[in-house]
Amino acid sequence: MADAVDCSGDAVDLTDRGLRIGSIFIIMAASLFGALSPIVLARQSKIPVPKFAFFITKFIGTGVIIATAFMHLLVPAVENLTDVCLEDRMGGYDWAEAIALMTVIVMFFAEMLASRMMDDATDHSHSHGDIDVELDPAMDLIAAKQPEKTSTSEELSQTTDAEARPTEAGYAPGGESHLAHKRDHKEGDSTSLGGQLLAIFILEFGVVFHSVFIGLTLGTTDELVVLLVVLVFHQMFEGLGLGSRLAVAPWPENRKWVPYLLAGIYALSTPIGIAAGIGAKPNNANTQKLVNGIFDAISAGILMYTGLVELLAHEFMFNPYMRRAPIKILLLAFACVAFGVAVMAILAKWA
């Protein structure tokens, strides 16, 4: 049982106010650099940047986001909500895991409805079993270097038969089954485009939401220096992952400015949280643990869904480029994901 003094609820000693204020601009610069660099490099021609660099950065970013959900959000949520000083409020239940779980379910329900509404709005003729896939410019470059395969007479016959019956249930031109998730959407397909942009906005929401609350933590922590150093790298790596996806997404011509707006919002999210934490001046440490734990659990659920479903599953399972890529490309992508996971898991030792 905790001593009465330990659970008195005294507020954290908010010293080093100057450094806390300075951290607003330090974090903003690191976040902006991470999120904006891929977009700027992808849209300029003076400095030649291989498309493969965006491929690598994108998959490292996927690992960063997944590790952030588990190691940087769920773990502190569990620690806060199972604190002995909150036992009387929490009733001994595993609230952190429960909140994260329900957030995943809500995220899935919201995306399911959004996808359904987009399908109805575009008046598309695809069956409900279609899976939207992402067209990867980096993989375009890889595919272009692969030798063309000479079709046999049997394959040509199968292709002709399939093209002659494109409206039969489960078939599409090319003889591939919709229900097997093997139909390739062509460039400019409105459903594919909408699915990609929806995934990006979900990712943006999840990253921004949790960034605000890690800013709140930085603004009120008593371990300011260590957490600040770790969060500079954390926000920069996460920004690179987000920015690389914003850079390669097929934005419509009249929406080319949107990636810059989303990168700017990401860069401002953590500084806003820091400023709110400094201005709020929390006067009860137990209430602060409760609030931080709840929002960390919500953020963990959002990034779990985004990282595992929107990024990992769609990239490796539903992306035709990855399914057909040489094994060395597949292994390289997986290695990038593993590297991003490892880096953020190590940083979790300090933050």
Side-chain angles (χ1 to χ4, degrees):
M1 180 66 69
D3 297 333
V5 175
D6 295 335
C7 295
S8 62
D10 292 338
V12 176
D13 181 21
L14 300 181
T15 56
D16 296 325
R17 189 175 182 85
L19 182 57
R20 291 181 195 277
I21 294 174
S23 68
I24 294 175
F25 302 98
I26 296 172
I27 294 290
M28 184 187 300
S31 301
L32 194 61
F33 173 79
L36 210 55
S37 295
I39 302 172
V40 173
L41 290 175
R43 296 189 177 187
Q44 56 81 44
S45 56
K46 294 182 179 179
I47 304 176
V49 180
K51 288 185 177 181
F52 206 69
F54 296 101
F55 172 85
I56 292 175
T57 305
K58 183 173 70 171
F59 282 101
I60 290 176
T62 296
V64 166
I65 290 167
I66 293 172
T68 295
F70 285 93
M71 304 301 297
H72 292 258
L73 292 171
L74 187 60
V75 170
V78 171
E79 291 175 353
N80 281 323
L81 297 183
T82 57
D83 191 278
V84 292
C85 297
L86 296 179
E87 282 183 356
D88 57 335
R89 300 192 196 184
M90 309 311 293
Y93 185 69
D94 298 322
W95 281 107
E97 294 88 340
I99 292 171
L101 171 63
M102 293 311 299
T103 302
V104 170
I105 298 301
V106 170
M107 289 292 293
F108 171 74
F109 182 72
E111 184 177 13
M112 179 179 67
L113 291 183
S115 298
R116 179 65 177 268
M117 287 188 291
M118 279 198 307
D119 288 344
D120 292 342
T122 54
D123 193 26
H124 213 278
S125 61
H126 291 168
S127 68
H128 293 299
D130 288 355
I131 297 295
D132 295 332
V133 296
E134 181 174 352
L135 301 175
D136 193 327
M139 295 307 297
D140 274 334
L141 185 63
I142 297 167
K145 294 181 179 180
Q146 300 302 315
E148 292 186 2
K149 178 183 176 183
T150 303
S151 300
T152 64
S153 58
E154 182 181 351
E155 290 171 334
L156 290 173
S157 175
Q158 291 175 350
T159 301
T160 304
D161 290 342
E163 289 176 346
R165 50 177 181 176
T167 59
E168 292 184 26
Y171 284 90
E176 294 181 334
S177 169
H178 280 199
L179 300 180
H181 298 168
K182 292 183 179 179
R183 181 188 181 280
D184 294 354
H185 289 270
K186 295 180 180 179
E187 191 78 44
D189 186 313
S190 59
T191 301
S192 180
L193 174 61
Q196 292 179 59
L197 298 187
L198 175 63
I200 286 177
F201 282 115
I202 291 175
L203 173 62
E204 173 83 9
F205 171 75
V207 169
V208 167
F209 188 85
H210 102 84
S211 293
V212 170
F213 287 98
I214 64 174
L216 282 171
T217 302
L218 183 61
T220 56
T221 185
D222 54 355
E223 298 179 354
L224 177 61
V225 176
V226 174
L227 188 58
L228 174 59
V229 172
V230 173
L231 287 184
V232 166
F233 290 100
H234 178 283
Q235 290 303 98
M236 186 170 65
F237 283 130
E238 197 168 65
L240 285 170
L242 175 64
S244 63
R245 292 178 181 277
L246 295 175
V248 301
W251 299 97
E253 284 299 324
N254 60 342
R255 294 290 185 273
K256 293 294 186 180
W257 51 269
V258 174
Y260 296 102
L261 175 63
L262 297 180
I265 292 173
Y266 167 74
L268 290 173
S269 57
T270 301
I272 288 173
I274 298 172
I278 295 173
K281 298 178 181 178
N283 54 17
N284 188 290
N286 294 333
T287 301
Q288 183 179 339
K289 290 177 184 177
L290 178 62
V291 173
N292 286 348
I294 291 173
F295 284 105
D296 278 346
I298 294 173
S299 301
I302 293 172
L303 291 192
M304 281 180 192
Y305 179 83
T306 302
L308 296 176
V309 177
E310 297 293 345
L311 305 184
L312 204 60
H314 276 264
E315 290 286 1
F316 285 91
M317 303 299 181
F318 304 147
N319 189 334
Y321 290 93
M322 293 302 294
R323 289 200 306 268
R324 298 169 182 171
I327 187 64
K328 63 181 180 181
I329 297 299
L330 187 66
L331 293 178
L332 175 61
F334 179 79
C336 291
V337 173
F339 176 77
V341 168
V343 168
M344 295 310 290
I346 292 172
L347 289 179
K349 178 175 176 60
W350 298 279

